[in-house]
Amino acid sequence: MTAVALAWRRAPVSLVAGVVILAALAVCALAPGLIAPYDPLAFDYGALLQPPSAPHPFGTDQFGRDILSRTIAAATVDLQIAIFATLGPLVIGAIVGLLVGYYGGLADAVFGRLVDLVVTFPFLVLVIAIVAVLGPGLSNMYIAIGVVGWVFYARLMRAEVMVLRGQDYVSAAKVLGYPERRILLRHILPNAARPILVYWMTDMALAILLGSSLGYLGLGAQPPTAEWGVLIADGKNFFSQAWWITVFPGAAIVLCGMGFSLFGDGLADLMDVRR
Amino acid sequence: MTERPQPILEVRDLRVRFATSRGEVRAVDGVNLALAPGDTLGLVGESGSGKSVTLRAILRLLRSNATTTGEARWRGQDLLAMPEKRLRALRGREIAMIFQEPMSALNPVIPIGVQIAESLQAHTALDAAGRRRRAIELLDLVGIPSAAQRLAGYPHEFSGGMRQRAMIAIALAAEPKLLLADEPTTALDVTIQDQILKLLLRLSRELGMAMVLVTHDLGVVAETCERVSVMYAGRVVETGPVDRVFTAPGHAYTDALLRSMPHGGVARAPLRPIPGLPPRLDRPLQGCPFTPRCAYAEGRCGAEAPPFAPVAPGQEAACWASDRLARREVPA
Amino acid sequence: MKDGALLQVENLTKAFPLGRSLADALRGRPQRALQALGGVSLSVNRGETLGVVGESGCGKSTLARCLVRLYEPDCGAVRFEGKDVLGLTGEARRSYHRRVQMVFQDPYASLNPRLSVGDALAEALTVHRIVEPSATRDRVGALLDLVHLPRDAADRYPHEFSGGQRQRVGIARALAVEPSVIIADEPVSALDVSVQAQVVNLFLELQDRLGLSLVFITHDLRLVRHVSHRLAVMYLGKVVETGDTEAVFTAPRHPYTRALIAAVPQVDPHQRSTREAVRGELPSPIAPPPGCPFHPRCPIAEPRCRTEVPALDRRHGGWPVACHLAGAPST
């Protein structure tokens, strides 16, 4: 108990704020039915395009669906996007970056050219092209982001590992005759993990934006699934008379992005051993 | 007491505090220094003793999280109180400074000759041709061979020793009355350090320039300075002529520091280290800051700060054990 | 004497290739290289300290890293107990690492910031199965005792220690695998004078207690005299003089050794001189001068010094020196 209390007190403010936001979103994502006042898919022709009011705090859309309930329900899909679109790139990128950075040589040269190739194309265009080939839908979107996204993690990891492999404590581990697997996993990986984990947090926020963009373009989540980008796309035709359909899901995206960013900043502080 | 000439630089009760995330650090805690024209003063101490901070505080070169109080009178005018514009006119012209890392003090994209000319333009009335002539003279003076050709060279084309020489040439451009040198040879190899120290010694004599040399190496002070001030935990604990202080120290810390140095002469003899570590400067200190590490410490050392008192002509120390040091009388 | 040598280095060379510019490649110029070691031979006897001194670029750190196989030398041999170690792989290489350990210069960079002191020491014990797992904690405590750190240091992390204390941890880690030789690369040059003395004394004490052989690499001549039985002076990748420490200090035979000793600032203000110990700059190891590497700075150089490389041998009796003009030792 005291250890938890101590950790909490030492935790950076940004970490606490990030945790609070993400926890709230996680509750929405895991149990939307408990919080949402209405069924997100239920039509109510008696309450079309209602502005925010006591029964409908975020208003309703052109079918009378409750925007608050739809925004909450969308958290499930969007957090899923945040995690599934980034977890693969994180793991693959970390492993490739670790090996390429430590061993160098031909693999590193090949990797360097690959990075050059990938960064010359705008990320979004590349992803859209791949989704267009594979066909729209969430799982194809994950594949498309994964195919391109791991390169950025690997590049970050490689740069960090290249600095660390020259550190004296890594030399000391070699002189002590430690096996290479141990050197990589115990002496390099934990010290190289900070930038990539912080980037992961930012990337989750970016993945939601990307997912929303693709949803908006009709390439990601398919209607009637509630997804923040899809909700915004739905509302765009009514923006002049019913701003709330677009603004509240938009605010949810911003809030979620802030949650990840704050958590990432806090994590960076927390992982600084000299603190 | 020997009569000392009127000082050109007099530092009185200098205090520097740094606001840090861990609270306030008292880096310099009541430093007094006096420098006569042509004097060479060594300011020695270990890392964290406040020697470099003192030097930078005199020219107001500290970062904004530092608060400086006290006086630093340059020919009667307080450098710490004068307007920034007046100080800027003095910096470089009357008081010049050289640093440990010449690479960080020289501009990497400007040829050495142009950097010297800039300094000459700021501080002298010479025309362009005169500045060029003078720049060559200066490089010659600091021992850079084929000076005329080296004027066009960039800092990265110079070796560490040559860079330090070039920085000294820039510092000397305006023929300053005082040179502040912050660990000028610490980054250099021993044979190159030897050359630079000899150069500084020759210049201060030939130009009648006073010098404050900050270093952690007692040997460097012994080779170049007439007087020395020993710093510990942000305070000057002893001041005096080098030959007095190094042979008959008046402060127990000076004594212990001299003894901890490898002297040579005896192979594989254990050194005499000072036990423990210097005190933390973010907590209040009571009494003499050296007490916990001191072999001569007695009851009042930890309670009452010893006053700065004369121990011999020209030599002063803040130590309760001054008289016992000479007799090696360690408390039981 | 060579028969008793525990660690023997013969004619070791190591060059680091430098990047070649496209213009150079097109003109057919050969790739340039930094010649860090140009044929170094020395030996370390059981229980003795060999001091290796020299200025930057002399190759002393490269030598240290070749001895512990952090670098692979280009040519030459390193023998431990008479057996070649450069070809060792796998288990044999690991057991060599157990016998020859290293202490690094920078106490802030040589400890993994994420491992507690206890974990770092326990790791060395576990990997090499030095003690039974149940005895690990006791042995960690014993190692901390050995380097005069409190036992509760085991639960703390490197950033909680001062430079001198970290260096003690580095020494304890090297000692954990019970080595016979320790290569110490500038082990105290990052420390303050008063703390330096603590660590130097620790080396002296440990050597006496454990019968270690020590290769003490430093640029500090004052220090090397205090710790070493024998001395090797290096200049531009070569040993120019090697012999009994006191003999070399009393009557140096190589003009570079003389200059190096004279250049050390003396603490005695009465010994002050205004003459430079040696003129000129250190030459670049990328383009070392022909003949004797020291000839451009040497006060007594003769024409043949510019063309003929002097061999390191016992000319006119006495200890080995690489100088054409070395006379008989004056002692």
Side-chain angles (χ1 to χ4, degrees), chain B residues 148-164:
Chain B
Q149 284 93 298
R150 299 309 292 267
L151 281 182
Y154 289 89
H156 69 90
E157 297 169 336
F158 285 55
S159 70
M162 285 298 159
R163 266 181 227 142
Q164 197 56 277

Side-chain angles (χ1 to χ4, degrees), chain A residues 175-188:
Chain A
V175 174
L176 280 160
Y178 295 167
E180 279 189 332
R181 197 162 42 106
R182 175 177 280 270
I183 293 176
L184 279 170
L185 295 181
R186 196 168 148 97
H187 295 272
I188 292 185

Side-chain angles (χ1 to χ4, degrees), chain B residues 56-137:
Chain B
R56 278 154 199 266
I58 292 172
L59 279 189
R60 288 166 45 188
L61 295 174
L62 295 171
R63 271 187 271 162
S64 58
N65 65 335
T67 322
T68 310
T69 59
E71 285 178 12
R73 293 201 169 271
W74 171 250
R75 302 162 128 186
Q77 307 171 321
D78 188 0
L79 296 170
L80 302 183
M82 70 174 53
E84 183 71 29
K85 211 176 141 199
R86 283 259 301 289
L87 180 71
R88 234 175 307 169
L90 286 178
R91 268 192 216 145
R93 183 178 309 225
E94 295 190 11
I95 309 173
M97 187 155 176
I98 57 174
F99 302 88
Q100 176 174 340
E101 263 307 323
M103 209 49 192
S104 59
L106 294 171
N107 187 332
V109 296
I110 300 178
I112 294 287
V114 177
Q115 299 194 45
I116 300 177
E118 272 180 355
S119 180
L120 286 167
Q121 192 169 18
H123 302 300
T124 65
L126 292 171
D127 61 2
R131 287 200 292 269
R132 188 183 152 77
R133 251 197 324 276
R134 182 75 183 129
I136 296 173
E137 271 172 33

Side-chain angles (χ1 to χ4, degrees), chain B residues 47 159 189 225 268 271 274, chain C residues 56 192 198 201 227 272 281:
Chain B
S47 37
S159 70
D189 276 308
C225 299
R268 292 182 54 80
L271 297 167
I274 305 176
Chain C
S56 55
D192 269 320
Q198 297 174 5
N201 282 1
V227 293
R272 186 183 291 187
E281 298 269 300

Side-chain angles (χ1 to χ4, degrees), chain B residues 15 46 77 82 103 154 181 224 246 275 304-305:
Chain B
R15 286 168 199 275
E46 298 181 85
Q77 307 171 321
M82 70 174 53
M103 209 49 192
Y154 289 89
T224 41
F246 280 24
E304 201 182 331

